[in-house]
Amino acid sequence: MSADALAALIVDHGSCVVLTGAGMSTESGIPDFRSATGLWAEVDPFEVASIDAFRRDPERVWRWYGGRIQALLDAEPNEGHLALAALERGGHVRAVVTQNIDTLHTRAGSEEVVEVHGSIRRAVCPMCGLPETLDAVLEQLEAGPVPHCRSCGAVLKPDVVMFGELLPAAAFARAEHLARDAGLLLVVGSSLQIWPVAGLPEETLAGGGDVAVLNAEETPFDPRAALVVRGPAGATLSDIAALLVEGAT
Ligand code: APR
């Protein structure tokens, strides 16, 4: 069984670092981006999720993000998120590096979470750098199309990495260190098509480690993985936790 093979690989390596993508949260009702039912099948990401679009038409970007924030807030961690938190408590997962902005890993109880694409928790002022809480942003969105900085009045930006932006330097440096130092990097629910995150498995190989992939569809890295499991993230991770962590069922 696939969970058995992944569990054995984790035990062989002592522990693993997990790299997650949107496929981790589809079982929480949050669509991913590139599968047939993904968000980018309905809307052009460069019209709603790029820094150029934000500068050109912030109202359009906030209309799209406003709907997305509500969907993310309504979502709950699924059995996969809970399993990774249990595996961390059991010493089998060292950290989770996530591309997801939905905060579900933290809400599930994972402690070492590196958010390399930011999070919906905050917005930030692109002019003066002042952060703003999500509650204050949602309050402003009730009254108008875009939130403004309470200090300089500029239109706030969601604190997530948009196409055309650099990743948060400290977070990505930590992710690179974790990947290079990992004996095993377990990639879960990512198409591994977006750089620089798609380069993290390479860091693990360069550091002498192995890579395993748990994903519903093929990824470009599959041919170089020590193990590829084609299956659902939630059930598979839950089975691994049941095998490795006392009372995790
Ligand atoms: N179990 C396992 N795999 C799944 C599941 C599931 N329940 N649901 C979806 N998947 C797989 C899909 O088949 C797909 O290959 O997860 C993968 C998700 O890939 P993407 O939609 O490309 O998401 P991701 O890799 O996280 O995208 C990276 O792109 O648009 C940007 O910033 C955005 O962080 C995102 C980045």
Side-chain angles (χ1 to χ4, degrees), residues 20-28 30-40 45 49 65 68 78 98-101 116-117 160-163 188-195 197 214-219 229-236:
T20 65
M24 189 72 220
S25 299
T26 51
E27 293 167 60
S28 296
I30 300 172
D32 64 13
F33 297 98
R34 291 175 188 83
S35 59
T37 54
L39 288 172
W40 300 153
Y65 263 99
R68 190 152 157 65
N78 63 54
T98 189
Q99 301 170 88
N100 302 338
I101 63 170
V116 290
H117 285 172
V160 298
V161 177
M162 294 189 170
F163 286 103
V188 182
S190 179
S191 63
L192 288 177
Q193 290 182 30
I194 297 299
W195 292 78
V197 171
L214 165 55
N215 202 57
E217 294 169 303
E218 213 171 304
T219 80
V229 172
R230 193 72 66 233
T236 310

